[in-house]
Amino acid sequence: MEHTFRAVTQKPGIIIWRIEKMELVQVPEKSYGNFYEGDCYVLLSTRKLNTSLCYDIHYWIGSQSTQDEQGAAAVYTIHLDEFLGSSPVQHREVQGHESDTFRGYFKQGVIYKKGGVASGMRHIETNTYDVKRLLHVKGKKRVVAKEVEMSWKSFNLGDVFLLDIGKTIVQWNGPKCNKQEMLKAMLLAKDIRDRERGGRAEIKVIEGDTESNFPQNMEILTSVLGQRTSNLTDGPPDETVDQEQKGKVTLYHVSDADGQMKVTEVATRPLVQDVLNHDDCYFLDHGGTKIFVWKGKKANKAERQAAMSRALEFIKAKNYPITTNVETVNDGAESALFKQLFQKWTVKGQTQGLGKVHTKGKVAHIAQEKFDATLMHVMPEVAAQERMVDNGSGQVEVWRIENLELVPVDPQWYGYFYGGDCYLILYTYLVNNKKRYLLYIWQGRHATQDELAASAFQAVTLDQKYDNEPVQVRITMGKEPKHFMAIFKGKMVIFEGGTSRKGSSDPEPPIRLFQVHGFDSLNTKAIEVPALATSLNSNDVFLLKSQSGLYLWCGKGSSGDERAMAKEVSSVIGQNLERGSEEIVAEGQEPIEFWELLGGKAPYASGKRLQQMDLDHEPRLFECSNKTGRFIVTEMTQFTQDDLCEDDVMLLDTWDQVFLWMGKLANVTEHKEALVTSREYLHTHPGDRDPDTPIILIRQGFEPPTFTGWFTAWDPSKWSEGKSYEELKKELGDVTSPVNVTHEQVTVESEKTFQPFPPDALVNKSANELPQYVDPTQKEKYLSDSDFNNIFGITKDDFASLPQWKKLKLKKEKGLF
């Protein structure tokens, strides 16, 4: 096999082979992304993860391929898996139903070509113009182009079509296709021109709703396809699977001890890692949308090799479509997608972040490294891993919700949080001498529903005051992120109940017990716990406060750094007590009064605690949508900054926090429902996620390094320099008319009336030149109906139904922006 796989190296990237006469033949790089429907392919992806290499093997089945070719692709996949030490994740891909991972390799799109090896079709490297084909382009993020019959019958109103005749490529945009599809189709056309034609082909564009504006380009189309004789239809909707369906997971044990496959249901959501036995193989059914096969390290070889074919039998038995995606993973080398379906996933001896390690079976020895804040903006990947934008030394303002309004908190009480209250904390820091903002919304466990709602409402008001620039972070009591603690320099105290408001009727409890977590000023907080002996833990430091004094109790397992930080906190908690009334007590040497204050001695947790488990989860990016009335998330694998689109809401899941990124042109509804969207995502996640996971709202152009660090090579100037569809079209020299893509119905604002002004008072006027009471962001609404028609060439109702980007473009053109 070494000769067959001689192309395999340790270099990250992909290699593709095609099955030709049952042999594996390497495909030239120029042809990557082109797949013949009559063939089968094997693709190897190599990625570097930290210091090790990760492999994914995909075998792709064309819709017209033979059973023999499909069998050969499966066998070569097994051989390649063994050649690479049985560590790769294997995927079975069927044409038209490929996984997000597979499509992620081809950023410019995938092209399905008619024919195959049997009909003499070759993957060519040389420039050729002997081409005549019609490509049907579908998809907003990951584009697929399929060769269809060269006829007007293949066209529809909702998609984009490319007529490729060698020296000319004509792009026809359906009147109902969206801007993103137009852009992706154009990038695909340019890719064909540059990669297959050596840059020597012309690209022409036709906007389907204004064909008469493109007479020469239409002539090319009709000379090949003939005259169109019938009206075009809308075309089929994109296939989607809603998130509720993806939330269902079932684990089955597989055995074939007596030669017959026996499948037994083992568990459903929430799944735990311990269920998987190293001696066995398992199927994980992900809501019928995908089947995972897990192969235990100690399972016998025959069982491991038959895993994929057994999965196909399972699909048949379940009456799932034969196109169902299958992924096989090896024990110890599981894919990120597989691990996220479990409630917790830990890896023995794994290190992650600064100085944290997880070791099963013994207390982890930790080298607690000090945090270097100077790395945050120079190395955003460190900011992302550490969840820190800086070291917390920026400017802080704190408000409390009182009678549903914001009341400033006296700076001497900063860091005190009461479970009966809600607080807003505005944090200001500088990046390249520019102000950046974080707005934390801290919600107490015992706050009323009205206060919780008021905290969300007041956050929106404060956000608008700062021009929608702050990054919003919702925090549930007890789930404070690292940066939030760093702001209060190790002196943060959380009281279980009560309120800090003046005139509060609740008397302070005579005895209070606080558990102190943290070993430096960046990660320390004291949390009130019930004042009982059972609350103690040998691994921590506790502060017991009474009217007569303060005990600082040091558990045997606590470190010197933790004891030092507890002393810092004690100065805050005991500030009303006499100086010197603080007494340090070592575990096992407590005075009688200590136990009396806690209501008597009682058993408490004294076993050695495992270091907090580091969950082994890779970040994942999703496009969120509920436009269809169903909540749908689409994953962007191999994600880059280019996957963040201006008219979308995107969700970045790093497991212990969820970022919601809102594009400038995302519609108002999506903005409003962003928080609901993220909660829905957590609720429907098969990994049974913590509903209190911090949710961080980010607006395009104001991304903190804790977000940008998850993307390789983040370009801060991209939003000002990234090319739009119109700009790409101008580069082609085809700007005969403005683009007109409509059909995203938006409700017309009819409630508010606008006093009309003559065009001279509104067009090309800055905000301070406008008549009094005119809103500078809505100048067009102050035109009379006839003036509006004369300037824009369409009615106000037609304008209201245009997509947001189109409205902005027209307003700029007409001097009303």
Side-chain angles (χ1 to χ4, degrees):
M1 281 291 129
E2 277 191 30
H3 178 71
T4 310
F5 301 126
R6 63 191 177 280
V8 176
T9 65
Q10 295 197 324
K11 200 173 136 198
I14 62 170
I15 302 169
I16 304 176
W17 296 269
R18 177 164 74 157
I19 306 292
E20 296 187 11
K21 297 178 182 164
M22 302 305 138
E23 293 292 323
L24 215 50
V25 177
Q26 200 175 340
V27 172
E29 211 169 311
K30 274 192 176 178
S31 296
Y32 283 8
N34 290 275
F35 295 91
Y36 283 104
E37 297 183 332
D39 291 332
C40 290
Y41 295 79
V42 175
L43 181 153
L44 171 68
S45 162
T46 307
R47 284 182 302 131
K48 210 164 183 179
L49 196 64
N50 300 327
T51 53
S52 56
L53 291 171
C54 293
Y55 300 103
D56 284 83
I57 305 170
H58 303 255
Y59 74 94
W60 184 89
I61 296 167
S63 59
Q64 306 301 314
S65 61
T66 66
Q67 283 298 118
D68 288 348
E69 286 169 325
Q70 293 175 24
V75 169
Y76 278 118
T77 298
I78 292 168
H79 289 327
L80 182 54
D81 180 67
E82 287 175 351
F83 179 75
L84 293 167
S86 296
S87 67
V89 173
Q90 295 175 36
H91 310 254
R92 175 181 179 267
E93 310 282 0
V94 178
Q95 181 186 334
H97 301 271
E98 295 88 351
S99 64
D100 292 328
T101 309
F102 183 85
R103 290 190 179 173
Y105 300 132
F106 309 102
K107 294 289 182 190
Q108 305 297 11
V110 170
I111 300 175
Y112 301 143
K113 300 169 101 164
K114 288 190 169 174
V117 173
S119 55
M121 296 298 178
R122 315 292 310 159
H123 280 288
I124 37 139
E125 270 196 273
T126 50
N127 300 330
T128 178
Y129 303 104
D130 185 20
V131 178
K132 211 174 190 184
R133 62 181 177 177
L134 180 63
L135 294 173
H136 177 185
V137 184
K138 272 189 91 69
K140 289 195 296 179
K141 286 285 190 300
R142 300 284 182 254
V143 173
V144 172
K146 181 176 164 55
E147 234 177 86
V148 290
E149 186 192 338
M150 294 264 288
S151 154
W152 280 111
K153 287 180 199 161
S154 301
F155 282 68
N156 67 57
L157 300 171
D159 292 324
V160 180
F161 293 81
L162 297 179
L163 178 70
D164 181 5
I165 49 173
K167 290 194 174 176
T168 309
I169 300 167
V170 181
Q171 174 172 338
W172 184 91
N173 297 322
K176 296 189 180 182
C177 73
N178 65 52
K179 180 187 166 196
Q180 192 60 24
E181 284 173 320
M182 287 151 54
L183 175 63
K184 286 289 186 181
M186 183 161 287
L187 290 170
L188 177 64
K190 290 184 82 167
D191 190 51
I192 294 169
R193 178 193 69 186
D194 299 340
R195 214 151 45 109
E196 294 184 23
R197 312 287 148 75
R200 292 185 289 276
E202 268 194 299
I203 299 172
K204 307 278 187 186
V205 180
I206 299 169
E207 304 301 345
D209 51 355
T210 53
E211 288 178 338
S212 56
N213 291 344
F214 306 87
Q216 291 166 315
N217 299 350
M218 277 303 290
E219 212 172 287
I220 300 168
L221 216 56
T222 51
S223 68
V224 177
L225 303 172
Q227 289 295 332
R228 192 167 58 221
T229 53
S230 58
N231 292 333
L232 301 178
T233 60
D234 279 358
D238 294 341
E239 282 181 33
T240 49
V241 179
D242 71 19
Q243 191 64 6
E244 280 290 349
Q245 191 179 339
K246 282 189 178 177
K248 295 170 187 158
V249 283
T250 314
L251 188 71
Y252 299 89
H253 175 256
V254 190
S255 101
D256 57 355
D258 52 0
Q260 284 284 308
M261 179 174 77
K262 193 176 170 200
V263 177
T264 319
E265 186 176 318
V266 177
T268 56
R269 169 181 170 181
L271 300 178
V272 287
Q273 189 179 352
D274 295 344
V275 173
L276 300 168
N277 185 330
H278 300 297
D279 299 322
D280 296 319
C281 291
Y282 296 83
F283 292 154
L284 197 162
D285 182 350
H286 190 194
T289 61
K290 184 169 189 153
I291 306 298
F292 292 87
V293 183
W294 185 86
K295 300 186 286 188
K297 279 176 185 163
K298 297 175 186 171
N300 69 57
K301 193 175 178 182
E303 212 166 56
R304 289 165 58 81
Q305 286 191 336
M308 185 66 86
S309 51
R310 291 279 183 250
L312 297 182
E313 286 176 39
F314 176 77
I315 285 169
K316 227 176 188 174
K318 281 280 195 180
N319 283 325
Y320 291 155
I322 196 62
T323 53
T324 302
N325 200 260
V326 180
E327 181 176 306
T328 77
V329 296
N330 290 296
D331 185 354
E334 295 83 0
S335 66
L337 188 57
F338 180 81
K339 288 185 283 201
Q340 289 231 355
L341 299 175
F342 288 75
Q343 198 171 16
K344 270 200 185 100
W345 193 278
T346 55
V347 175
K348 191 178 176 183
Q350 170 191 329
T351 305
Q352 191 178 3
L354 295 185
K356 295 185 202 158
V357 66
H358 166 66
T359 341
K360 278 189 178 165
K362 62 174 191 267
V363 173
H365 177 69
I366 314 299
Q368 288 169 340
E369 296 177 30
K370 295 295 177 195
F371 176 78
D372 182 1
T374 57
L375 296 174
M376 295 300 92
H377 293 284
V378 190
M379 297 169 66
E381 64 275 16
V382 176
Q385 291 290 343
E386 291 299 315
R387 280 68 172 161
M388 300 279 281
V389 296
D390 65 1
N391 62 357
S393 58
Q395 187 188 330
V396 188
E397 287 178 87
V398 184
W399 295 268
R400 184 177 50 249
I401 301 292
E402 267 186 44
N403 302 323
L404 311 187
E405 295 297 329
L406 281 186
V407 175
V409 171
D410 186 326
Q412 70 167 324
W413 301 113
Y414 281 8
Y416 278 58
F417 294 92
Y418 288 80
D421 286 334
C422 289
Y423 299 82
L424 294 191
I425 299 91
L426 182 70
Y427 181 78
T428 308
Y429 62 104
L430 294 176
V431 180
N432 300 329
N433 290 322
K434 264 189 175 172
K435 283 187 176 180
R436 288 280 183 264
Y437 307 98
L438 289 175
L439 178 56
Y440 289 105
I441 304 141
W442 190 93
Q443 299 176 328
R445 191 178 291 130
H446 306 294
T448 65
Q449 278 305 117
D450 284 352
E451 284 168 330
L452 293 172
S455 69
F457 172 75
Q458 293 292 354
V460 171
T461 309
L462 202 55
D463 185 55
Q464 288 168 347
K465 184 181 169 185
Y466 287 89
D467 294 328
N468 297 325
E469 288 181 22
V471 170
Q472 290 183 38
V473 187
R474 180 185 67 100
I475 300 173
T476 305
M477 177 174 162
K479 298 285 170 72
E480 293 76 18
K482 191 171 175 180
H483 184 263
F484 186 77
M485 292 188 274
I487 294 171
F488 303 104
K489 313 285 182 291
K491 295 186 177 178
M492 178 178 162
V493 183
I494 299 173
F495 297 92
E496 175 58 29
T499 173
S500 55
R501 299 172 205 189
K502 285 178 184 156
S504 168
S505 55
D506 296 341
E508 186 183 345
I511 300 160
R512 301 188 104 146
L513 182 65
F514 297 89
Q515 185 171 13
V516 182
H517 284 289
F519 55 83
D520 66 21
S521 63
L522 296 174
N523 63 10
T524 299
K525 62 180 173 184
I527 305 164
E528 187 173 9
V529 292
L532 298 166
T534 50
S535 298
L536 297 173
N537 187 314
S538 296
N539 297 282
D540 290 320
V541 182
F542 286 77
L543 297 171
L544 176 62
K545 183 188 177 189
S546 69
Q547 285 158 327
S548 58
L550 187 70
Y551 284 104
L552 198 151
W553 184 88
C554 304
K556 286 174 184 170
S558 62
S559 71
D561 284 343
E562 286 169 327
R563 292 194 283 273
M565 287 316 301
K567 277 186 184 174
E568 290 282 319
V569 179
S570 71
S571 66
V572 179
I573 288 174
Q575 60 183 299
N576 299 330
L577 299 170
E578 280 179 42
R579 280 204 119 161
S581 60
E582 171 194 299
E583 190 178 332
I584 297 172
V585 175
E587 183 178 4
Q589 295 171 14
E590 301 86 355
I592 295 166
E593 193 205 1
F594 178 85
W595 295 118
E596 285 176 349
L597 289 170
L598 290 176
K601 206 169 181 177
Y604 56 85
S606 56
K608 288 185 175 179
R609 178 197 289 152
L610 282 174
Q611 169 64 12
Q612 180 191 350
M613 288 181 182
D614 263 321
L615 299 171
D616 186 42
H617 292 298
E618 289 175 36
R620 298 171 73 195
L621 183 72
F622 300 89
E623 178 194 11
C624 298
S625 164
N626 50 9
K627 284 175 184 162
T628 58
R630 293 188 305 161
F631 177 62
I632 291 160
V633 295
T634 313
E635 183 163 11
M636 306 291 109
T637 55
Q638 319 271 318
F639 65 81
T640 65
Q641 189 183 358
D642 289 335
D643 289 316
L644 300 172
C645 293
E646 295 189 298
D647 48 3
D648 279 337
V649 170
M650 306 294 289
L651 185 147
L652 177 69
D653 181 4
T654 62
W655 197 264
D656 62 345
Q657 48 188 16
V658 170
F659 294 94
L660 265 176
W661 180 91
M662 289 181 281
K664 280 178 185 164
L665 304 179
N667 67 48
V668 179
T669 313
E670 283 178 322
H671 266 257
K672 279 182 184 166
E673 293 182 0
L675 206 58
V676 179
T677 296
S678 51
R679 284 180 181 151
E680 180 75 4
Y681 169 79
L682 288 169
H683 164 68
T684 57
H685 195 288
D688 220 43
R689 298 287 286 280
D690 180 350
D692 292 332
T693 301
I695 294 164
I696 300 165
L697 299 184
I698 293 174
R699 284 189 177 78
Q700 181 188 331
F702 300 98
E703 298 85 0
T706 43
F707 177 79
T708 62
W710 297 108
F711 295 78
T712 45
W714 180 273
D715 175 10
S717 61
K718 174 181 161 53
W719 309 130
S720 52
E721 293 174 13
K723 287 178 179 166
S724 67
Y725 168 72
E726 285 76 25
E727 287 164 332
L728 284 172
K729 191 171 154 188
K730 275 181 188 169
E731 282 179 10
L732 303 173
D734 193 352
V735 285
T736 358
S737 79
V739 183
N740 187 12
V741 185
T742 70
H743 308 279
E744 285 184 27
Q745 293 301 317
V746 179
T747 51
V748 183
E749 266 189 81
S750 51
E751 303 84 5
K752 191 173 170 186
T753 53
F754 295 89
Q755 180 196 338
F757 288 97
D760 296 351
L762 302 166
V763 176
N764 293 322
K765 299 289 184 201
S766 62
N768 53 6
E769 295 175 311
L770 291 170
Q772 199 178 1
Y773 307 123
V774 167
D775 179 350
T777 64
Q778 303 189 75
K779 290 191 238 178
E780 73 284 359
K781 291 185 178 170
Y782 297 88
L783 290 167
S784 68
D785 288 353
S786 58
D787 285 338
F788 190 97
N789 231 323
N790 290 337
I791 290 172
F792 287 97
I794 54 174
T795 65
K796 283 185 177 177
D797 281 0
D798 287 342
F799 180 83
S801 69
L802 294 176
Q804 190 65 19
W805 67 270
K806 176 68 173 160
K807 289 184 195 170
L808 294 177
K809 182 173 175 290
L810 283 174
K811 281 165 70 170
K812 279 177 186 171
E813 283 174 7
K814 308 299 179 189
L816 287 160
F817 183 65

